[in-house]
Amino acid sequence: MEENFQSAYQEEEDRLNSTLTEIDSILTRLRNTPVYTGHDYTEQVLEDSREQRRKDLAKLVHEPYFGRLDFQGSGEGEAQPLYIGKIGVDREQVSDRPLVIDWRAPVASLFYSFIGGTDPASYEAPEGLIEGLVYLKRNVVIRKQILERVADTYNRNSDAPAVSDEFLVYRLGENKDNRLRDIVSTIQEEQDRIIRAVKNTALIIQGVAGSGKTTVALHRLAFLLYQYKDQVSAEKMIIFAPNRMFLDYISDVLPELGVGNIAQSTFPDWAAAVLNLELPEQNTADTLNRWFEAEGGMPAITEETPGRFKGSTALIGIIESSVRLLESGAVPEGDFIPWEGAVLRRSMILRWHNEEYAPYPPLKRKERVMARIHRWIEMELKKSPSAAALKERKKKAAAREKTYGGKWPKYDPLMIYKQIFRAAKVPADWPTEASELIPPSVLKETAKDLKKGILREEDLPPLLYIHYLLSGNEGTERFDHIVIDEAQDFSPFQIAVLDLYVKGHSFTILGDLSQGIHAYKGVHEWSEMQTLFAPEHTAYHALTRSYRSTMEIIEFANGILSAGVQSPLLAVPVFRSGNPVRLIDYSGEAPKAVSGASQRLHAVRSALESLSGREYRTVAVLTRSLREAEELFTELAGPFADLHLIDGSMTHYHGGLSVLPVYLSKGLEFDAVILADADTGHYGAAAWDAKLMYVGCTRALHELWLLHGGDLPAYVQTAGEETVSGWPETAADQ
């Protein structure tokens, strides 16, 4: 066995050296080619291509590839070794095989989809289905041009041909820094199917915590740009993430994959830009305070909760009828008379409005009609009998044209929205049934907010829809593809509106219902989104395998879901074992003789000292509320100078030591997590409380400690098979 490994290592080291030599030769030639700065378009395109290759090769030279697949196609003489990397590279000399094959190429899909066995394997190529035999599947780790690891996950000629998770477990065991990284070397078969799914589909992905949803979606963008390069562009793609700090956290993945210029935003930021509105940050904080900082836990959620109602498609019909009403009565009464003796009949204006310009949205129709009236005035002015009459008529016409334009409805989305919710004066013929369809509590609360000038996130989809009905896509290009992360926190109305701004229903919608802690605004079942699309335009995938946490942490978190939420969406762990989940009762097990409120502080401090003293790069203390996070940060900032408070206002995640409320931790992950106050005083018996704790527990990759004051929720007690109690006693326990 040792001899075989040495032989494989030597073979791969020789291949690496020859690859690096050839890449260096190509790069040297490109760098020595003079940069074209002229005006010939063909030469400019060629220069752009050369510059892109310079950048790609400069990046690739440090880690040219990560995998090898020996494949013998049907009818071929022998198996050919194919080396797979983040970027494809052709050889300097003409050859039937590239030096490195791009991971997105059709044949590279075999590296991810092949799961062992002696049966023929196949992949879809432009020329059709290609079949053949896989003889070797090998992972390699190259860092800074040095071969660090060689691992065969399949070898047809060995005695044990089964695929192994050894390499995956090795990569998962690495510690986290302050950025999400690509998984191109460890993409699993279920993830690869999603990445390579066809473009014009609203792809809905239910993924358990740690299943790689976000990373899969980002790799899917890179694949779409490769597969559909003549149909899509990076500039017409966008990623919607839950907050700006999360955008910073994922910001390195696409550049690592050689992809740039993809817009990344939160939905409120994008919507506000389209609507030309400014949204105070305090509005978001107020909403979070209402639902997460309230005494006694989260208020009751019903279908009449403002976020749920305004996020439903029930509001669409109300908006459409209101806009139709304004449109039908848009043309002012009476003929237009710019001066005595000149008359433009209303019947003619109505014909322009209702027939000639009918295909245009209302705002455009008004602009077209008013422009037509202006041209009519100019033609009539030419009939003036004298210069004096012309001057007089021009003056009168300008004033009356302005007055006439002012009689049209104010096509302002915010004004119409206020009228729908009775926060502004409505026209005399406004339909009373519009407001009667809105629950009284929602009508009252929204009207109160709007009169104070307060717009909440839940108000943005209706406003965008009104804007679209009035103006169409004017000023906003349609996207080629949209990625929505943490989509369980999006409303159906948000998705319906975004569908107006994307071509071919091309979405990647990903989330986890078990982490639906924003149930006051998000979906409770994926069917709420699926029904927005025709069956042929949508697909559903479930990612059940969790790659983030150890088996002990995943099994513990599954226990919380089973007992506290009765959820069937449980994670299947990768075989990566670690320390048991630790439960520490600081009221009776404090390591030193302390009493009162200082026990809790001392426990958190001791836990942070213990875990931060290990080989972990990121450690987080998760509190139930922001107020408690702020208090702990104040107390701990002295002894832990590198501690960061994450309070929702940050745009950058710094890694290291952090303290933050559990509801702001979703989407992040840490080497070790300390869940402060995991007791009944902070987490009640409701399913929502269990989901909050589940979110907190599943942030941990390697180590999870729960501190409590003695009374644990029932769902924690029943999940305790993977736990130990008390503080570590010896170095071996740590």
Side-chain angles (χ1 to χ4, degrees), residues 210-284:
S211 57
K213 299 181 294 296
T214 301
T215 322
V216 165
L218 298 176
H219 286 65
R220 175 160 167 72
L221 287 175
F223 172 78
L224 292 175
L225 287 168
Y226 178 92
Q227 183 71 9
Y228 302 95
K229 53 181 172 289
D230 296 329
Q231 303 174 39
V232 303
S233 66
E235 292 79 6
K236 291 185 179 181
M237 291 177 163
I238 190 168
I239 302 164
F240 287 112
N243 53 60
R244 294 168 191 165
M245 188 180 73
F246 186 77
L247 288 170
D248 176 63
Y249 178 62
I250 68 173
S251 60
D252 284 351
V253 176
L254 290 172
E256 285 177 5
L257 296 173
V259 174
N261 301 321
I262 292 180
Q264 301 180 38
S265 179
T266 66
F267 180 84
D269 285 347
W270 174 79
V274 173
L275 294 166
N276 196 26
L277 294 172
E278 287 190 18
L279 298 178
E281 296 287 345
Q282 187 58 36
N283 290 353
T284 301

Side-chain angles (χ1 to χ4, degrees), residues 184-197:
V184 69
S185 66
T186 57
I187 293 171
Q188 301 299 291
E189 191 265 343
E190 61 176 358
Q191 297 172 327
D192 189 61
R193 283 202 307 271
I194 294 169
I195 290 170
R196 295 175 189 269

Side-chain angles (χ1 to χ4, degrees), residues 325-528:
L325 170 73
L326 290 176
E327 193 175 12
S328 64
V331 177
E333 293 294 331
D335 299 332
F336 175 66
I337 303 175
W339 59 84
E340 290 71 17
V343 179
L344 177 58
R345 300 297 178 190
R346 184 171 186 266
S347 58
M348 178 61 72
I349 299 174
L350 281 171
R351 196 178 83 183
W352 294 343
H353 183 268
N354 297 336
E355 296 177 21
E356 292 191 35
Y357 301 128
Y360 294 94
L363 192 56
K364 273 292 179 188
R365 290 169 78 181
K366 175 187 174 181
E367 290 174 358
R368 296 268 172 165
V369 170
M370 291 303 298
R372 188 76 171 264
I373 291 172
H374 187 77
R375 289 198 300 273
W376 178 85
I377 292 172
E378 290 179 334
M379 295 299 293
E380 291 298 307
L381 285 171
K382 292 179 180 179
K383 302 175 184 177
S384 300
S386 65
L390 174 63
K391 183 177 180 181
E392 180 66 21
R393 289 177 178 181
K394 269 188 176 181
K395 183 178 179 182
K396 283 186 177 182
R400 293 183 182 183
E401 184 181 358
K402 183 177 180 181
T403 300
Y404 185 79
K407 293 179 180 180
W408 286 69
K410 299 292 187 291
Y411 287 137
D412 175 61
L414 183 56
M415 178 56 67
I416 295 172
Y417 191 60
K418 287 180 176 180
Q419 290 172 334
I420 290 172
F421 282 92
R422 296 298 189 265
K425 185 179 179 181
V426 298
D429 55 350
W430 193 267
T432 57
E433 59 268 19
S435 59
E436 290 173 355
L437 293 172
I438 301 173
S441 60
V442 178
L443 189 68
K444 181 179 178 181
E445 183 175 324
T446 306
K448 183 180 177 181
D449 280 346
L450 293 174
K451 287 176 181 177
K452 291 181 179 179
I454 296 173
L455 280 177
R456 302 194 183 277
E457 185 178 340
E458 67 211 32
D459 297 312
L460 295 176
L463 279 169
L464 275 170
Y465 190 54
I466 298 171
H467 171 80
Y468 180 85
L469 291 178
L470 295 177
S471 306
N473 279 324
E474 184 181 10
T476 306
E477 283 192 283
R478 295 178 74 198
F479 295 109
D480 289 332
H481 191 78
I482 294 176
V483 168
I484 301 173
D485 205 351
E486 299 291 348
Q488 75 279 353
D489 300 333
F490 268 56
S491 70
F493 205 158
Q494 281 176 284
I495 304 298
V497 168
L498 286 172
D499 195 37
L500 301 171
Y501 290 89
V502 69
K503 301 173 185 175
H505 316 289
S506 191
F507 285 97
T508 301
I509 300 169
L510 52 138
D512 181 12
L513 296 177
S514 296
Q515 298 182 63
I517 60 175
H518 299 281
Y520 54 88
K521 64 173 182 176
V523 295
H524 298 177
E525 300 291 340
W526 290 121
S527 58
E528 296 179 54

